[in-house]
Amino acid sequence: MSAPTLRRGTLGTADIAFFVISAAAPLTVMAGVAPVALMLGGIGAPVGYLLAGITLAVFAVGFTTMSRHVRSDGAFYAYITRGFGIPVGIAAALIAILGYNGMEIGVYGLLGSATADTSHALWGIDVPWLPVSLLGLALIWYGGFRSIDFGAKVLGVLLVAETGILVLLAGGVLLEGGASEGLSLGSFSPGNVLVPGTAAVLACAFAAFTGFESTVIYRREARNPERTVPRATYIAVAFLGFFYAFVVWAVIQAFGEEKVVQAAADDPGGLFFSAITAYVGPWAADLMHILIVTSVLASLLAFHNAINRYALALAEEGVLPAVLGHVHPRHRSPYVAGAAQTVLGAVVVIGFAAAGADPYAQLLLWVNTPGMIGLMALQLLAAVAVLLFFRRIPHGEGALRTVVAPLAAAVLLTGAIGLVSYNVELFTGASTGVNVLLVSLVPAVFLLGLLLARRLKRRRPEVYASFAAEPSDAPEGPPETVPAAAL
């Protein structure tokens, strides 16, 4: 009897898009980060989100084109292996583990603090954050343990709710005609966009898209993945880019272009709640408090599922322990990988709590930051890998998809990583020493991956040689899938 595998042909375009958009946590990003973007960049902040979306859409062109030629379940590391070779591919796999774990585990701190804030705001009850975070770990473990279609349904409901409250806010502003001076498109004028703070806004904006590329992780479980995965990727990027820009613009109209920056500076955490109270009603502000908590839960579940599938793929490769490759016979979920990731999350959360760390300022921001930079580094490596891959194989793809778009994406992503690294204090609020350590984690893990690749080549050559290989049921393709020099 063959071992159980992930359930094939389960997820449609909408399901995968729900996973990706939920990981970005639109409501949390808007209510929690957009006020900072307004303080830094002024009323031109909406354009920062549009520019970030355009950059990632350009990246998606080459990325999704390559997805038609790569059927491995390794997502980012498989693409990077095809372009750069096995050593860099293994290093990329370790960065992916760092990136996705960092993006998820840090958010348990946000779950604890957001729940405490909501409880205090609505009922005047002070709830300790650690029990909430541990309960969240249990809930997310269960969500990942259940079947992938169960997770898709949960995320669909939560995503509709959190985007719905933002649409309600924007609708109220538009119906009322905004502040006393009326609606204006001044946010999109060059004079308000080309300001010194725009660079910092772009750093915030790129962070708001983190995880959109995880569509390819669900390839094995997707229906007609050659179409479903690219469609979900473009839908996610387009939706997030336009939605973020629209909502930030609407909030600017709620306060007026002359007053919104000061309002954001006076009360960044309450900006969106003040707006929705004024234009919709206090009941909507109460509902927004609750939906921020569910938005965080949705993001956690989306990242948890992505991490589990990376761990499953690497266990099947022989790089991680084989036990992590076990799939539940009924739910068809990578349940051992999910349990291991939950234990890791609990260790980190309890460790920060034992050290007396703040759940938001330290657990969230310090753990998320290297995760965010790691995922952006993977995007850059993948963009260059597209160029290298299509230079080596015969194909019928056009130059726009295989040369122009990935080259442009590589240049733009290099700039984005530079912006985030230069403005890293915006994300951490930490000292220079801590910031240097957090940013250095990504190149350190990359170097560790290169050393691991060298060790595998010497001690387990069969594992090394088959790393990121196409599945056995893949159609015949070009004879060379990995550069010979990398072997």
Side-chain angles (χ1 to χ4, degrees):
M1 183 177 179
S2 60
T5 61
L6 296 178
R7 189 170 286 139
R8 294 183 179 273
T10 299
L11 301 177
T13 299
D15 298 320
I16 298 175
F18 283 149
F19 276 105
V20 176
I21 298 172
S22 296
L27 176 56
T28 304
V29 165
M30 288 288 94
V33 181
V36 177
L38 285 167
M39 286 189 290
L40 295 171
I43 65 171
V47 177
Y49 291 95
L50 288 177
L51 292 175
I54 291 169
T55 297
L56 295 175
V58 172
F59 165 77
V61 171
F63 185 60
T64 56
T65 300
M66 191 171 173
S67 72
R68 295 198 289 263
H69 299 261
V70 177
R71 299 185 63 204
S72 170
D73 296 320
F76 263 148
Y77 76 73
Y79 290 65
I80 293 167
T81 299
R82 293 294 187 280
F84 285 94
I86 292 174
V88 177
I90 292 175
L94 292 195
I95 292 180
I97 294 296
L98 169 72
Y100 282 103
N101 273 290
M103 289 305 300
E104 188 204 9
I105 294 173
V107 176
Y108 284 109
L110 177 59
L111 176 64
S113 63
T115 303
D117 291 344
T118 295
S119 176
H120 183 80
L122 298 185
W123 305 293
I125 301 173
D126 293 321
V127 176
W129 71 269
L130 180 59
V132 173
S133 296
L134 295 177
L135 177 60
L137 277 158
L139 290 174
I140 298 306
W141 164 79
Y142 179 74
F145 173 76
R146 291 292 302 271
S147 62
I148 191 67
D149 50 333
F150 171 83
K153 291 181 176 67
V154 170
L155 291 179
V157 172
L158 297 181
L159 181 62
V160 168
E162 67 175 295
T163 54
I165 196 71
L166 290 171
V167 170
L168 184 64
L169 165 59
V173 173
L174 294 177
L175 287 174
E176 291 287 333
S180 57
E181 59 266 37
L183 301 178
S184 169
L185 296 177
S187 292
F188 304 98
S189 67
N192 291 321
V193 174
L194 302 176
V195 297
T198 299
V201 173
L202 284 169
C204 295
F206 277 105
F209 286 81
T210 305
F212 88 94
E213 74 296 319
S214 60
T215 50
V216 294
I217 295 173
Y218 301 102
R219 180 184 179 91
R220 198 192 309 187
E221 296 158 287
R223 295 193 295 269
N224 192 4
E226 286 75 16
R227 293 186 178 182
T228 303
V229 169
R231 286 175 180 172
T233 304
Y234 285 121
I235 288 171
V237 174
F239 175 82
L240 290 174
F242 286 111
F243 189 68
Y244 286 152
F246 170 66
V247 170
V248 176
W249 173 81
V251 168
I252 293 170
Q253 305 313 302
F255 291 89
E257 293 180 355
E258 300 296 326
K259 298 179 181 179
V260 68
V261 175
Q262 187 60 50
D266 290 342
D267 186 15
L271 187 72
F272 275 67
F273 297 103
S274 297
I276 201 168
T277 298
Y279 286 90
V280 181
W283 66 269
D286 292 345
L287 181 58
M288 180 178 281
H289 274 291
I290 295 171
L291 291 178
I292 282 180
V293 175
T294 63
S295 170
V296 174
L297 285 170
S299 177
L300 285 166
L301 179 57
F303 274 115
H304 182 70
N305 277 306
I307 295 164
N308 295 346
R309 279 149 184 80
Y310 256 112
L312 173 69
L314 287 169
E316 292 173 342
E317 300 273 12
V319 175
L320 292 182
V323 67
L324 296 177
H326 290 180
V327 174
H328 195 275
R330 177 184 175 189
H331 298 303
R332 300 294 184 88
S333 61
Y335 71 108
V336 177
Q341 201 279 328
T342 301
V343 170
L344 174 62
V347 168
V348 174
V349 168
I350 293 172
F352 270 79
D358 183 86
Y360 183 91
Q362 292 168 313
L363 175 53
L364 170 68
L365 300 182
W366 290 12
V367 176
N368 259 194
T369 297
M372 173 183 64
I373 295 173
L375 294 185
M376 294 181 73
L378 288 176
Q379 292 170 2
L380 173 59
L381 287 172
V384 178
V386 173
L387 278 169
L388 299 176
F389 175 76
F390 284 112
R391 285 187 63 184
R392 290 188 300 98
I393 68 165
H395 62 85
E397 310 286 357
L400 179 63
R401 291 177 171 273
T402 60
V403 179
V404 177
L407 180 60
V411 172
L412 293 169
L413 285 167
T414 299
I417 293 172
L419 286 174
V420 169
S421 300
Y422 182 76
N423 294 282
V424 71
E425 70 279 358
L426 297 176
F427 303 100
T428 66
S431 65
T432 301
V434 171
N435 289 333
V436 170
L437 175 63
L438 295 177
V439 174
S440 299
L441 279 175
V442 174
V445 169
F446 185 81
L447 178 60
L448 179 63
L450 295 178
L451 294 175
L452 174 61
R454 185 175 180 180
R455 179 185 175 90
L456 281 175
K457 185 177 182 180
R458 185 173 65 252
R459 297 195 175 186
R460 302 174 66 194
E462 72 287 351
V463 171
Y464 179 88
S466 62
F467 182 78
E470 289 291 89
S472 58
D473 61 343
E476 291 297 323
E480 181 189 25
T481 56
V482 177
L487 300 175

